[in-house]
């Protein structure tokens, strides 16, 4: 997925706004380089860990450092503050490496910060040069919270919809036309998969095995040409897009729907805490990216969104106001949301702003309405939509009763009640803030620059959902 230079230029023009303030950020990232997921127990490599760490460092330089060009208002530039950061990931290795780039050891930032002086005058240096232990609260795989980042797991409705792609005219035509191309890889893969499986039906597995081999195995690297690998990626893109999006079968995008609900929840937390929560991190797999891209019609903005995101790619949602302020706005009408995407980790790759819902940036209230209409907003709604009998669905009486009654009205009620809860939290926060407006008005209209440092900045808190059955990372 290569992003166009013209769009980068447009992004710079859009984001290089002098009079705006970033109040919060939600980031969704993919893991870095890994061993092939064709085998059970696949793991992120040292290269992958370095890639994810570099992504964390990239976001630090953009949003956290005192000199950051898009510094989040009042975020702690040095020391992690639990109230400001939240994180969730199926695997803790991805989140940990990202967060260590975001908040590196204190001793590397300022040696004095890693030293504690007690009353008798003795000094203690923090372990690991002031390593910042940012908690990642895990959830077992069976917990209901796992749906938000892997909404297609244990979802029979998704499996049926996804598999139906294999009966489509598009799939059957591509399968036939690609036979000759795939036949040349039967021999290199003969010790890994049967030759009859080296077809478009297994396009991702074939690409993954050969791509990983080209990175880590010299014999593979010399046996595969760049054009061949590019064509393998093209077919893998097509297959996985077919699995995760179809306009007439919304449940193919259930992973994107669940992620959308998580994004709304985290932005609402920033709003309802009046900007106290500043950065939310979530990590997941390529199929969740693709499902979200299709769900939000980003493929109409750029066809590259129909392709696999590179290792450690990330998308971000900036919550901002169109003026320099030193306080959180009293009215959500002043808040806007901007969508950005960065494909890969190469230092020259920018974080690019793309239009979402046909707007370069969108009011927060409209964003909640637009994304909320596409989102899964409760565990009960997920259980009903997926027609799932997974433990937390069957054990939940409210879910069971909702599945036994007429599904369309129940789904509407679940969705509207959760969206109402989002708006209720916002209204409550704005009412409280309004009561303080008279006191704060003098401060509210003070102007600030992005490069200015705040005297006190508080960081964030994190959370992580459970790991996958056979590996420590998502696909």
């Amino acid at each position: 997925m290569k992003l166009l230079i013209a769009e980068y230029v447009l992004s710079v023009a859009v984001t290089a706004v002098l009079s705006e303030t970033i109040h919060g950020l939600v980031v969704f990232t993919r893991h870095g380089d890994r061993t092939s997921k064709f085998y059970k127990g696949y793991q992120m490599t040292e290269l992958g860990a370095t890639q994810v760490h570099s992504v964390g460092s990239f976001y630090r330089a953009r949003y956290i450092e005192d000199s950051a060009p898009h510094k989040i208002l009042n975020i702690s530039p040095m020391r992690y503050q639990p109230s400001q950061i939240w994180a969730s990931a199926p695997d803790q290795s991805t989140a940990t490496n990202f967060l260590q780039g975001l908040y590196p050891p204190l001793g590397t930032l300022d040696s004095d910060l890693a030293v504690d002086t007690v009353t008798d005058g003795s000094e203690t240096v923090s372990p690991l040069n002031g390593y910042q232990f940012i908690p990642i609260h895990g959830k077992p795989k069976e917990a209901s919270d796992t749906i938000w980042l892997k909404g297609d797991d244990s979802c029979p409705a998704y499996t049926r919809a996804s598999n139906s792609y294999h009966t489509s005219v598009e799939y059957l035509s591509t399968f036939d036309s690609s036979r000759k191309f795939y036949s040349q890889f039967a021999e290199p893969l003969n010790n890994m998969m049967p030759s009859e499986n080296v077809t478009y039906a297994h396009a991702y597995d074939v690409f993954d095995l050969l791509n990983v081999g080209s990175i880590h195995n010299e014999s593979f690297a010399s046996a595969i040409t760049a054009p061949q690998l590019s064509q393998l990626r093209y077919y893998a893109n097509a297959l996985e897009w077919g699995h995760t999006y179809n306009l007439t079968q919304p449940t193919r995008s259930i992973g994107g729907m669940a992620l959308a609900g998580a994004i709304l929840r985290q932005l609402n937390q920033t709003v309802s805490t009046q900007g106290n929560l500043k950065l939310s991190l979530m990590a997941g797999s390529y199929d969740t990216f693709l499902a979200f891209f299709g769900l939000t019609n980003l493929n109409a903005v750029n066809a590259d969104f129909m392709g696999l995101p590179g290792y450690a790619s990330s998308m971000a949602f900036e919550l901002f106001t169109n003026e320099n302020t030193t306080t959180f706005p009293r009215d959500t009408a002043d808040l806007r949301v901007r969508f950005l995407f960065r494909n890969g980790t190469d230092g020259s790759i920018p974080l690019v702003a793309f239009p979402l819902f046909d707007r370069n940036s969108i009011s927060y209230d409209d964003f909640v309405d637009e994304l909320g209409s596409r989102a899964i907003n409760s565990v009960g709604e997920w259980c009903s939509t997926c027609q799932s009998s997974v433990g937390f669905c069957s054990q939940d009486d409210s879910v069971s009763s909702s599945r036994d009654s007429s599904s369309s009205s129940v789904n509407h009620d679940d969705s509207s009640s959760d969206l109402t809860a989002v708006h209720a939290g916002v209204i409550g926060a704005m009412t409280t803030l309004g009561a303080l407006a008279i006191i704060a008005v003098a401060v509210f209209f003070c102007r600030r620059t992005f490069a200015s440092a705040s005297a006190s900045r508080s960081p964030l808190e994190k959370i992580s959902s459970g790991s996958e059955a056979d590996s420590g990372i998502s696909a």
Side-chain angles (χ1 to χ4, degrees):
M1 180 193 288
K2 294 183 178 179
L3 299 178
L4 303 178
I5 296 298
E7 286 168 321
Y8 171 52
V9 173
L10 174 62
S11 171
V12 172
V14 170
T15 58
V17 180
L18 297 179
S19 58
E20 69 175 32
T21 303
I22 306 293
H23 295 280
L25 185 73
V26 175
V27 177
F28 182 71
T29 188
R30 191 186 175 199
H31 60 78
D33 178 80
R34 51 150 174 76
T35 57
S36 175
K37 65 172 290 189
F38 182 76
Y39 300 105
K40 293 183 178 181
Y42 55 93
Q43 296 292 330
M44 194 158 64
T45 64
E46 286 76 8
L47 171 60
T50 301
Q51 290 171 334
V52 176
H53 182 274
S54 74
V55 176
S57 298
F58 174 90
Y59 278 90
R60 172 178 176 77
R62 180 181 171 94
Y63 293 107
I64 293 178
E65 292 176 349
D66 280 328
S67 60
H70 303 275
K71 185 174 176 64
I72 299 172
L73 179 65
N74 291 338
I75 194 168
S76 175
M78 298 283 197
R79 193 183 297 273
Y80 155 75
Q81 301 292 335
S83 64
Q84 293 187 350
I85 305 289
W86 180 95
S88 180
D91 68 291
Q92 296 199 5
S93 59
T94 295
T96 297
N97 283 288
F98 184 105
L99 291 164
Q100 286 309 305
L102 202 67
Y103 280 99
L106 289 169
T108 66
L109 302 174
D110 183 339
S111 58
D112 291 340
L113 294 176
V115 177
D116 181 35
T117 303
V118 295
T119 55
D120 65 3
S122 61
E123 295 183 343
T124 302
V125 179
S126 299
L128 303 175
N129 199 26
Y131 181 95
Q132 303 206 56
F133 293 90
I134 304 177
I136 303 174
H137 307 290
K139 298 288 182 182
K141 187 177 187 296
E142 298 76 16
S144 59
D145 279 351
T146 59
I147 70 166
W148 304 113
L149 299 182
K150 282 298 292 176
D152 52 4
D153 279 3
S154 303
C155 181
Y158 162 77
T159 302
R160 289 192 296 270
S162 180
N163 287 345
S164 69
Y165 169 66
H166 290 247
T167 63
S168 68
V169 172
E170 177 188 356
Y171 169 85
L172 294 172
S173 174
T174 306
F175 183 92
D176 287 339
S177 64
S178 63
R179 281 181 184 273
K180 183 177 180 180
F181 172 77
Y182 276 105
S183 66
Q184 64 190 309
F185 302 108
E187 179 61 28
L189 295 174
N190 66 350
N191 292 326
M192 304 175 199
M193 61 193 308
S195 59
E196 61 267 22
N197 286 351
V198 185
T199 65
Y200 179 63
H202 301 276
Y204 187 84
D205 286 338
V206 175
F207 166 72
D208 189 45
L209 283 166
L210 294 172
N211 182 56
V212 170
S214 71
I215 297 171
H216 297 283
N217 187 305
E218 289 186 7
S219 61
F220 266 79
S222 60
I224 303 170
T225 67
Q228 286 175 328
L229 198 59
S230 178
Q231 187 69 13
L232 287 166
R233 177 182 284 275
Y234 170 83
Y235 284 127
N237 288 345
L239 183 70
E240 295 308 302
W241 179 257
H243 285 159
T244 55
Y245 178 72
N246 183 277
L247 184 63
T248 63
Q249 286 187 305
T251 47
R252 289 195 202 180
S253 298
I254 192 76
M257 295 177 191
L259 177 64
I263 292 165
L264 288 171
R265 179 193 63 201
Q266 291 314 118
L267 286 175
N268 176 60
Q269 278 294 100
T270 295
V271 174
S272 63
T273 61
Q274 300 170 25
N276 193 35
L277 174 62
K278 300 188 181 299
L279 191 152
S280 296
L281 169 68
M282 295 180 280
S285 56
Y286 70 83
D287 52 348
T288 304
F289 274 94
L290 292 176
F292 184 86
F293 295 158
L295 183 72
T296 53
N297 205 31
L298 282 163
N299 55 299
V301 176
N302 187 330
D304 287 340
F305 281 110
M306 299 168 69
L308 299 168
Y311 287 139
S313 293
S314 59
M315 58 183 178
F317 300 83
E318 293 177 346
L319 184 69
F320 69 99
T321 49
N322 275 326
E323 60 179 0
N324 289 332
T325 70
T326 58
T327 59
F328 198 80
R330 59 180 297 183
D331 192 337
T332 57
D334 296 325
L335 289 168
R336 301 193 67 78
V337 176
R338 178 186 294 126
F339 169 79
L340 307 98
F341 178 69
R342 184 177 189 238
N343 188 35
T345 61
D346 186 279
S348 63
I349 297 175
L351 183 63
V352 181
F354 286 92
L356 192 64
F357 308 127
D358 299 320
R359 282 157 279 189
N360 289 328
S361 71
I362 182 173
S363 74
Y364 173 72
D365 293 331
D366 285 349
F367 178 82
V368 169
D369 290 339
E370 289 279 4
L371 194 59
S373 68
R374 297 162 168 83
I376 292 289
N377 293 291
S378 71
V379 173
E381 185 181 359
W382 181 89
C383 291
S384 178
T385 302
C386 283
Q387 302 170 8
S388 179
S389 59
V390 70
F392 57 79
C393 290
S394 58
Q395 293 169 10
D396 187 332
D397 291 338
S398 64
V399 172
S400 297
S401 62
S402 73
R403 291 176 62 200
D404 290 338
S405 53
S406 210
S407 64
S408 61
S409 61
V410 171
N411 284 345
H412 175 74
D413 290 344
D414 282 348
S415 175
S416 61
S417 65
D418 282 285
L419 284 176
T420 300
V422 170
H423 285 296
V426 171
I427 292 169
M430 292 302 112
T431 302
T432 302
L433 190 56
L436 299 174
I438 296 176
I439 299 172
V441 67
V443 177
F444 179 77
F445 288 105
C446 290
R447 300 298 179 185
R448 60 180 290 275
T449 62
F450 287 121
S452 65
S454 177
S456 66
R457 307 177 195 266
S458 45
L460 315 126
E461 163 191 280
K462 356 182 337 257
I463 219 170
S464 165
S465 42
S467 60
E468 300 209 341
D470 297 320
S471 71
I473 62 174
S474 299

